[in-house]
Coordinates of all heavy atoms in Angstrom, one line a residue:
A1 N 0.8 -1.2 0.0 CA 0.0 0.0 0.0 C 0.8 1.3 0.0 O 0.4 2.3 -0.6 CB -0.9 0.0 1.2
I2 N 2.0 1.2 0.7 CA 2.8 2.5 0.8 C 4.1 2.5 0.1 O 4.7 3.6 0.0 CB 3.0 2.8 2.3 CG1 4.0 1.7 2.9 CG2 1.7 2.8 3.1 CD1 4.5 2.1 4.3
A3 N 4.5 1.4 -0.5 CA 5.8 1.3 -1.2 C 6.0 2.4 -2.2 O 7.1 3.0 -2.3 CB 6.0 -0.1 -1.8
G4 N 5.0 2.7 -3.0 CA 5.2 3.7 -4.1 C 5.0 5.1 -3.7 O 5.1 6.0 -4.5
L5 N 4.7 5.4 -2.4 CA 4.5 6.7 -1.9 C 5.8 7.5 -1.7 O 6.8 6.9 -1.5 CB 3.7 6.7 -0.6 CG 2.3 6.1 -0.7 CD1 1.6 6.1 0.6 CD2 1.4 6.8 -1.8
P6 N 5.8 8.8 -1.8 CA 7.0 9.6 -1.6 C 7.4 9.5 -0.1 O 6.6 9.2 0.8 CB 6.6 11.0 -1.9 CG 5.1 11.1 -1.8 CD 4.6 9.7 -2.2
L7 N 8.7 9.9 0.2 CA 9.2 9.8 1.5 C 8.5 10.7 2.5 O 8.4 10.4 3.7 CB 10.7 10.1 1.5 CG 11.6 9.2 0.8 CD1 13.0 9.7 0.8 CD2 11.6 7.8 1.4
A8 N 7.9 11.7 2.0 CA 7.1 12.6 2.9 C 6.0 11.9 3.6 O 5.5 12.4 4.7 CB 6.6 13.8 2.1
A9 N 5.5 10.8 3.0 CA 4.4 10.1 3.6 C 4.8 9.4 5.0 O 4.0 9.0 5.8 CB 3.9 9.0 2.7
L10 N 6.2 9.3 5.2 CA 6.7 8.8 6.4 C 6.7 9.8 7.6 O 7.0 9.4 8.7 CB 8.1 8.2 6.2 CG 8.2 7.0 5.3 CD1 9.7 6.7 5.1 CD2 7.4 5.8 5.8
R11 N 6.3 11.0 7.3 CA 6.2 12.0 8.4 C 7.6 12.3 9.0 O 7.7 12.6 10.2 CB 5.2 11.7 9.4 CG 3.8 11.6 8.9 CD 2.8 11.0 9.9 NE 3.1 9.6 10.1 CZ 3.3 9.0 11.2 NH1 3.4 9.7 12.3 NH2 3.5 7.7 11.3
L12 N 8.6 12.2 8.2 CA 10.0 12.4 8.6 C 10.3 14.0 8.6 O 9.7 14.7 7.9 CB 11.0 11.7 7.7 CG 10.9 10.2 7.6 CD1 11.8 9.7 6.5 CD2 11.3 9.6 9.0
P13 N 11.3 14.4 9.4 CA 11.7 15.8 9.4 C 12.1 16.2 7.9 O 12.7 15.4 7.2 CB 12.9 15.9 10.3 CG 12.7 14.7 11.3 CD 12.0 13.7 10.4
E14 N 11.8 17.4 7.5 CA 12.1 17.9 6.2 C 13.6 17.8 5.9 O 14.0 17.5 4.7 CB 11.6 19.3 6.0 CG 10.1 19.4 6.0 CD 9.6 20.8 5.7 OE1 10.5 21.7 5.3 OE2 8.4 21.1 5.7
A15 N 14.4 18.1 6.8 CA 15.9 18.0 6.6 C 16.3 16.6 6.3 O 17.2 16.4 5.4 CB 16.6 18.6 7.8
L16 N 15.7 15.6 7.0 CA 16.1 14.2 6.7 C 15.6 13.8 5.3 O 16.3 13.1 4.6 CB 15.5 13.3 7.8 CG 15.7 11.8 7.6 CD1 17.2 11.5 7.5 CD2 15.1 11.1 8.8
I17 N 14.4 14.2 5.0 CA 13.9 13.9 3.6 C 14.8 14.5 2.6 O 15.1 13.8 1.6 CB 12.4 14.4 3.5 CG1 11.5 13.6 4.4 CG2 12.0 14.3 2.0 CD1 10.1 14.1 4.4
A18 N 15.2 15.7 2.7 CA 16.1 16.4 1.8 C 17.4 15.6 1.7 O 17.9 15.4 0.6 CB 16.3 17.8 2.2
H19 N 17.9 15.2 2.8 CA 19.2 14.4 2.8 C 19.0 13.1 2.1 O 19.9 12.7 1.2 CB 19.6 14.1 4.2 CG 20.8 13.3 4.4 ND1 22.1 13.7 4.0 CD2 21.0 12.0 4.8 CE1 23.0 12.8 4.2 NE2 22.4 11.7 4.7
L20 N 17.9 12.4 2.3 CA 17.6 11.1 1.6 C 17.4 11.4 0.1 O 17.9 10.5 -0.7 CB 16.4 10.5 2.2 CG 16.5 9.9 3.6 CD1 15.2 9.5 4.2 CD2 17.5 8.7 3.6
H21 N 16.8 12.5 -0.3 CA 16.7 12.8 -1.7 C 18.1 12.9 -2.4 O 18.3 12.5 -3.5 CB 15.9 14.1 -1.9 CG 14.4 13.9 -1.7 ND1 13.8 12.7 -2.1 CD2 13.5 14.7 -1.2 CE1 12.5 12.9 -1.9 NE2 12.3 14.0 -1.3
R22 N 19.0 13.6 -1.6 CA 20.3 13.8 -2.2 C 21.1 12.5 -2.3 O 22.0 12.3 -3.2 CB 21.1 14.7 -1.3 CG 20.7 16.2 -1.3 CD 21.7 17.1 -0.7 NE 21.8 16.9 0.8 CZ 21.1 17.5 1.7 NH1 20.1 18.4 1.3 NH2 21.2 17.2 3.0
M23 N 20.7 11.5 -1.5 CA 21.3 10.2 -1.6 C 20.6 9.3 -2.7 O 21.0 8.2 -2.9 CB 21.2 9.5 -0.3 CG 22.0 10.1 0.8 SD 21.8 9.3 2.4 CE 22.4 7.7 2.1
G24 N 19.6 9.8 -3.4 CA 18.9 9.1 -4.4 C 17.7 8.3 -4.0 O 17.2 7.6 -4.8
F25 N 17.2 8.6 -2.8 CA 16.0 7.9 -2.3 C 14.8 8.8 -2.5 O 14.8 9.9 -2.0 CB 16.1 7.5 -0.9 CG 17.3 6.6 -0.6 CD1 18.2 6.9 0.4 CD2 17.5 5.4 -1.3 CE1 19.3 6.1 0.6 CE2 18.6 4.6 -1.1 CZ 19.5 4.9 -0.1
D26 N 13.8 8.4 -3.2 CA 12.6 9.2 -3.5 C 11.3 8.6 -2.9 O 10.4 9.3 -2.6 CB 12.5 9.4 -5.0 CG 13.6 10.2 -5.5 OD1 14.0 11.3 -4.9 OD2 14.2 9.8 -6.6
R27 N 11.2 7.3 -2.9 CA 10.0 6.6 -2.5 C 10.3 5.7 -1.3 O 11.4 5.3 -1.0 CB 9.5 5.7 -3.7 CG 9.2 6.4 -5.0 CD 8.0 7.2 -4.9 NE 7.8 8.1 -6.0 CZ 6.7 8.9 -6.2 NH1 5.7 8.9 -5.3 NH2 6.6 9.7 -7.2
I28 N 9.2 5.4 -0.6 CA 9.3 4.5 0.6 C 10.0 3.2 0.2 O 10.8 2.7 1.0 CB 7.9 4.3 1.2 CG1 7.4 5.6 1.8 CG2 8.0 3.2 2.3 CD1 6.0 5.5 2.4
A29 N 9.7 2.7 -1.0 CA 10.3 1.4 -1.4 C 11.8 1.5 -1.4 O 12.5 0.5 -1.3 CB 9.7 1.0 -2.7
D30 N 12.3 2.7 -1.7 CA 13.8 2.9 -1.8 C 14.5 2.6 -0.5 O 15.7 2.3 -0.5 CB 14.1 4.2 -2.3 CG 13.5 4.5 -3.7 OD1 13.3 3.5 -4.5 OD2 13.3 5.7 -4.1

């Protein structure tokens, strides 16, 4: 149900989400 959703769906801090994006992670499945 959630694998294809963006990382923001995990309710993580914005700074952590930005860091994960820089590492190439965009979706929960990643």
